[in-house]
Amino acid sequence: MYLKRKIDAYLANWKNSKDKKPLIVKGPRQIGKTASINEFAKNNYKHIIEINFVTSEKYKKITEDGYSTDSIIKSISLIDPSHKFVPGETLIFFDEIQEFPEIATSLKFFNIDGRFDVICSGSLLGINYKRIESNSVGYKTDYTMYSLDFEEFLWAKGYSSEVIDDMLTHIKESKPFSNLEHSVFSSHFLDFCILGGMPAVVREFIKNKTFEGTLEIQRQLLSDYKEDIRKYAQGLDQTRITNVFNSIPVQLSKENKKFQLSIVEKGARFKDYRGCIEWLEDAGMVHLCYCLNNAELPLKGNYDINKFKIYFCDTGLFVALLDDEAQEDLRANKNLSVYKGALYESIVGEALVKAGYQLYYFRREDSTLEEDFFVRTANNLIPIEVKARNNKAKSLIQLIQNSKYTDISYGIKFCAGNIGFENNIYTFPYYCTFLLKRFLKEI
């Protein structure tokens, strides 16, 4: 069963663009990159040459006679003469290029040649990307893919784009959802929080219509991620990287969710762990949320690189690391408060990243003022508060009403409640987070 993804529309536009360049699709492992590219290829090309550098290592020799298009084609044909290279009708798909980043040098020649479309894909590309970038700068296009967001999850459940458009209309007009709408979307969102967006997990859930088997898949994915650490974290302390990864649920369970090295290792020094944390981020396994120095624009350059929170790339993986009692409470009772609202905060942060935002938060050391996230428009800084229930957003009110914060004129609260607007605060249900960027653009 193929799951419709947002990359589908991107790939169609890429194919039809006049100045098309070779495409590199980046993202963590097992998020559906290969499946989406193959689905696109099957529907758009007469000839598909798929080369996987993990399963077919012999293709690592195709650059021995040079990187020109003709040299590459000749080498591929020598290995497998059944491949047909027809100009304008052929897609060359280099998969798992993290195993052979040298292939990126050929992208310049494919781009100049122009006879064939080329897509590259791979996991953990971030840790090798300087090397890939230097070999292909100016001659390729990048696309970052993630696990399914809630919109894609709704597509998997059978909902149409018209339903999504109607949801957007509701939040643009501050029009509350009906009791039925709110109940149905809330139920689906709770399922999504527990499952996450890894395609294998979602497919299992759609097929069985229960959580049966999903936890086992999530835990296997975690094992695969940890195996990647052992395989690819060369020159770094793999045990430290794994310890950081395993500590994230404990970090997020604290009232102050700022990453604390003391939780990972007693007496640990930040300089010994900085590279380990950056490796996890570059590998796409985690997202960092940096603490702003001041609640003001601009965002970039206005944060402390040593103060941050860490979220998993997929909340389902976070869930899979919780203890067995929490698992039972989540799956049987859908109680997402087991981690003091950390699950809600994690899923909102994940949705913001998937919408294209970088993550920032703010915490004043001399007061109780703390805000979960910030995004911006051209002229406004917008604080975002995540509430486990529909409680009063004290920090949000303070940021909006205090004349000190001149870049802030309104804020957004995500909670379990319905749509509302009061005191310059937009209140939206959690399940509308994926629509935030569209909402801000249209208002």
Side-chain angles (χ1 to χ4, degrees):
M1 176 178 67
Y2 178 71
L3 300 176
K4 177 185 175 184
R5 304 298 301 276
K6 291 182 177 178
I7 194 176
D8 299 345
Y10 180 89
L11 290 172
N13 291 332
W14 169 79
K15 185 180 188 303
N16 295 323
S17 62
K18 293 181 180 178
D19 58 345
K20 177 175 49 189
K21 297 177 180 179
L23 176 66
I24 297 181
V25 179
K26 302 184 289 183
R29 67 143 64 224
Q30 302 295 330
I31 58 166
K33 299 185 297 295
T34 300
S36 293
I37 294 167
N38 279 330
E39 182 72 10
F40 162 73
K42 180 179 68 176
N43 295 325
N44 288 276
Y45 295 90
K46 290 183 179 179
H47 306 283
I48 304 163
I49 291 87
E50 180 179 358
I51 294 173
N52 186 309
F53 291 113
V54 169
T55 58
S56 300
E57 291 194 17
K58 58 190 176 184
Y59 283 100
K60 292 180 181 179
K61 297 180 179 180
I62 61 176
T63 59
E64 288 185 351
D65 290 334
Y67 293 94
S68 71
T69 300
D70 287 336
S71 293
I72 297 288
I73 290 173
K74 181 180 178 181
S75 297
I76 293 173
S77 298
L78 280 172
I79 295 172
D80 187 346
S82 69
H83 287 312
K84 304 297 181 186
F85 293 88
V86 180
E89 298 179 354
T90 303
L91 175 71
I92 302 172
F93 175 24
F94 295 119
D95 201 7
E96 304 289 2
I97 67 167
Q98 76 277 0
E99 294 289 333
F100 189 57
E102 288 79 5
I103 195 64
T105 302
S106 71
L107 300 185
K108 172 182 178 180
F109 298 96
F110 277 111
N111 181 56
I112 294 170
D113 183 278
R115 286 177 291 166
F116 312 105
D117 290 353
V118 179
I119 297 178
C120 300
S121 179
S123 305
L124 298 104
L125 290 185
I127 59 178
N128 282 318
Y129 210 66
K130 288 181 181 177
R131 184 177 172 189
I132 293 172
E133 179 73 22
S134 65
N135 289 342
S136 57
V137 63
Y139 295 98
K140 49 83 180 166
T141 302
D142 292 334
Y143 181 90
T144 301
M145 191 174 175
Y146 303 98
S147 61
L148 282 80
D149 68 5
F150 187 56
E151 182 173 12
E152 292 170 316
F153 181 75
L154 290 176
W155 291 345
K157 294 285 291 182
Y159 290 94
S160 67
S161 57
E162 286 76 16
V163 173
I164 309 300
D165 292 340
D166 186 63
M167 294 174 72
L168 179 60
T169 298
H170 272 273
I171 65 172
K172 281 164 50 182
E173 298 177 358
S174 294
K175 174 184 164 187
F177 293 101
S178 69
N179 289 336
L180 176 61
E181 290 171 322
H182 185 60
S183 174
V184 169
F185 291 137
S186 294
S187 178
H188 289 325
F189 184 76
L190 288 174
D191 290 340
F192 178 66
C193 288
I194 295 166
L195 294 163
M198 302 302 277
V201 178
V202 174
R203 270 194 296 268
E204 189 74 8
F205 178 74
I206 298 296
K207 181 180 72 173
N208 296 329
K209 297 182 173 60
T210 70
F211 291 118
E212 181 183 355
T214 57
L215 178 58
E216 289 75 13
I217 297 173
Q218 289 170 327
R219 286 178 170 167
Q220 181 58 54
L221 288 167
L222 282 171
S223 296
D224 293 342
Y225 273 45
K226 292 175 184 178
E227 179 58 33
D228 283 342
I229 293 172
R230 288 187 285 272
K231 183 176 180 181
Y232 293 105
Q234 299 171 355
L236 289 170
D237 191 321
Q238 298 170 8
T239 301
R240 284 178 175 167
I241 295 175
T242 303
N243 289 344
V244 170
F245 190 80
N246 289 335
S247 79
I248 297 174
V250 181
Q251 304 273 358
L252 294 176
S253 71
K254 304 297 183 183
E255 199 66 37
N256 177 7
K257 297 177 178 61
K258 181 173 79 74
F259 181 78
Q260 300 172 48
L261 266 181
S262 59
I263 293 175
V264 182
E265 180 186 345
K266 188 176 181 180
R269 297 179 300 176
F270 191 79
K271 68 174 186 176
D272 294 330
Y273 273 88
R274 182 74 213 188
C276 300
I277 295 164
E278 289 176 347
W279 190 94
L280 286 169
E281 183 182 31
D282 289 342
M285 295 182 184
V286 302
H287 304 306
L288 300 190
C289 179
Y290 286 99
C291 184
L292 293 173
N293 294 316
N294 300 291
E296 62 186 28
L297 295 173
L299 291 174
K300 290 187 176 180
N302 177 30
Y303 61 88
D304 188 334
I305 62 170
N306 296 320
K307 292 181 182 178
F308 51 85
K309 295 183 281 189
I310 300 183
Y311 299 104
F312 282 108
C313 64
D314 183 88
T315 303
L317 300 183
F318 174 16
V319 167
L321 277 175
L322 303 184
D323 53 56
D324 289 340
E325 290 77 15
Q327 296 289 344
E328 184 177 349
D329 199 11
L330 278 166
R331 284 168 164 74
N333 304 317
K334 293 190 177 180
N335 177 18
L336 267 70
S337 296
V338 291
Y339 255 62
K340 300 180 181 178
L343 281 171
Y344 290 115
E345 189 176 317
S346 183
I347 200 76
V348 169
E350 180 188 333
L352 294 177
V353 170
K354 289 176 177 178
Y357 291 110
Q358 290 184 301
L359 298 183
Y360 303 97
Y361 76 103
F362 182 60
R363 181 184 178 92
R364 277 187 55 174
E365 300 295 339
D366 59 348
S367 75
T368 59
L369 178 62
E370 181 174 8
E371 203 54 79
D372 298 316
F373 300 106
F374 286 84
V375 297
R376 67 165 299 172
T377 60
N379 303 309
N380 290 288
L381 179 64
I382 304 156
I384 297 173
E385 193 150 334
V386 182
K387 307 295 287 187
R389 296 177 179 83
N390 196 3
N391 301 335
K392 195 170 184 179
K394 295 180 181 178
S395 292
L396 204 52
I397 293 170
Q398 186 176 342
L399 285 168
I400 294 168
Q401 294 181 351
N402 193 327
S403 59
K404 176 182 177 181
Y405 304 108
T406 56
D407 293 324
I408 298 172
S409 58
Y410 64 95
I412 292 170
K413 178 176 71 173
F414 288 108
C415 66
N418 212 320
I419 292 173
F421 180 75
E422 186 179 11
N423 298 323
N424 287 337
I425 297 174
Y426 292 94
T427 298
F428 298 137
Y430 301 117
Y431 54 77
C432 290
T433 309
F434 76 93
L435 292 166
L436 177 64
K437 198 160 198 173
R438 277 171 263 184
F439 166 76
L440 293 176
K441 184 178 180 180
E442 296 203 20
I443 67 167

